[in-house]
Amino acid sequence: MLCIPVKHDFAKNVKQSIILDDMERITVSAENAEEIRIFREAGADEIVLAPKGCAMSALREADMETITACAPVSLMMNRLFMPEALHIALDILGTLEPGQIDRIYFSDPALVKLAEERGMKEKLVYRPEMLAVSTFDAAWWMSQQIGSVSVSPLLTRDEITDILRKCPG
């Protein structure tokens, strides 16, 4: 997966990017319904939004009204949810139907169970932000039959190559 920054709004401290995933899909992050409309008309294959309280990201948080109005979208839900905060993820996944979600980018294993209960497990993409993913991590996540695994940007070229060779997608 290749991430190309396309805009940084320093006033809002928000960076937008295009992610080239296997060079077959173009994924963009968006801040509001107008940007989503513009990006879809321009040919974006996937729009990523960060639901309030769910992302460890520079993305601006989106409310449920925007998420449901602009569906289908992908969700950046890559924070770790402590037991007392798991209700946030539960509320979001409980509000949306599987057809309203393209992908769910996640880091917390608790989301696997929540997504499975709602028929969304195949939409999960393991995307750690600060974790160093090993070959064993990638192989285990792939064995869980989730949609895919994103390799941590903190790994070396050799570590990434090792994962790609030992865990074909």
Side-chain angles (χ1 to χ4, degrees):
M1 181 178 286
L2 175 65
C3 182
I4 304 170
V6 293
K7 178 174 106 176
H8 190 100
D9 184 335
F10 289 97
K12 297 178 191 170
N13 196 27
V14 174
K15 180 172 56 174
Q16 292 189 327
S17 59
I18 295 176
I19 300 171
L20 301 177
D21 182 5
D22 296 276
M23 307 313 240
E24 294 175 7
R25 290 172 56 102
I26 297 181
T27 299
V28 298
S29 58
E31 294 184 9
N32 56 53
E34 177 63 13
E35 282 188 351
I36 292 169
R37 184 190 63 74
I38 291 168
F39 294 158
R40 282 201 172 125
E41 287 176 5
D45 297 304
E46 178 182 31
I47 306 288
V48 180
L49 299 177
K52 285 186 179 176
C54 291
M56 190 174 88
S57 169
L59 292 176
R60 193 168 181 196
E61 292 183 323
D63 57 32
M64 284 305 295
E65 183 179 328
T66 300
I67 292 169
T68 55
C70 297
V73 295
S74 292
L75 304 176
M76 182 66 70
M77 297 180 70
N78 62 337
R79 68 166 271 196
L80 297 177
F81 293 91
M82 296 308 209
E84 61 274 8
L86 199 54
H87 69 90
I88 297 168
L90 186 61
D91 290 346
I92 290 166
L93 296 181
T95 301
L96 299 169
E97 296 294 321
Q100 294 177 290
I101 300 173
D102 286 327
R103 295 179 178 185
I104 303 167
Y105 295 95
F106 79 104
S107 293
D108 193 328
L111 289 186
V112 175
K113 181 73 172 158
L114 294 178
E116 183 175 36
E117 290 171 354
R118 285 151 187 78
M120 300 178 189
K121 187 175 178 181
E122 74 285 349
K123 296 177 183 290
L124 292 173
V125 177
Y126 181 58
R127 182 173 177 180
E129 291 297 323
M130 307 222 357
L131 304 173
V133 178
S134 69
T135 300
F136 302 107
D137 292 336
W140 186 85
W141 281 110
M142 294 303 284
S143 75
Q144 300 305 301
Q145 299 175 336
I146 62 173
S148 66
V149 173
S150 294
V151 176
S152 172
L154 303 176
L155 298 179
T156 66
R157 183 182 308 148
D158 290 341
E159 291 169 323
I160 292 169
T161 302
D162 187 50
I163 290 171
L164 293 170
R165 287 185 180 136
K166 293 179 180 174
C167 304

